[in-house]
Amino acid sequence: PAGAAAHGQAQLANDLWIAGLQRSGVHAYGYGPGAVDTDIRRNIPAVLRWILWPLFWWSTRRPHETALDVVRLLLDDALPSSGFASRHGLFTHDPLIYDEARQHDVNALADELLLATSR
């Protein structure tokens, strides 16, 4: 897959992985990369980026602002030691993400891909 489909699959795998880490006792946060104003839209034609700019301006943060969020998540003892966060704060993910079988499947796929690339 390419474009938005690939991005969606990668985000799903990332969220399943983070939830699996949390389930195994690792202190981990998932932070939605879509909340960060990066150059991810570089392949979109410039005129379309210009038209969509107001939407992205309101829905994303600059990287240094996001970095401050991440540091706060890691250092603020008043916050839980694991979870999911975005520019709007902590949130409970979709139940699909907490499904142990799906977490196992994504880890098995990662192991398979790593083995294939190490040959």
Side-chain angles (χ1 to χ4, degrees), residues 27-98:
H27 299 292
Y29 274 99
Y31 194 96
V36 186
D37 185 11
T38 65
D39 198 25
I40 195 168
R41 297 176 288 276
R42 66 188 167 278
N43 295 328
I44 298 173
V47 69
L48 188 55
R49 281 195 317 265
W50 183 79
I51 292 168
L52 294 173
W53 180 82
L55 170 69
F56 293 127
W57 186 83
W58 286 104
S59 64
T60 60
R61 283 187 161 161
R62 295 175 54 149
H64 75 275
E65 294 170 324
T66 303
L68 292 173
D69 282 348
V70 171
V71 168
R72 185 179 60 82
L73 290 170
L74 297 173
L75 299 179
D76 189 339
D77 290 335
L79 297 174
S81 61
S82 294
F84 288 92
S86 74
R87 69 183 301 264
H88 303 293
L90 297 174
F91 65 91
T92 301
H93 221 307
D94 187 282
L96 161 88
I97 298 302
Y98 299 109

Side-chain angles (χ1 to χ4, degrees), residues 94-106:
D94 187 282
L96 161 88
I97 298 302
Y98 299 109
D99 183 318
E100 188 173 341
R102 291 177 196 269
Q103 294 167 11
H104 176 269
D105 290 347
V106 80

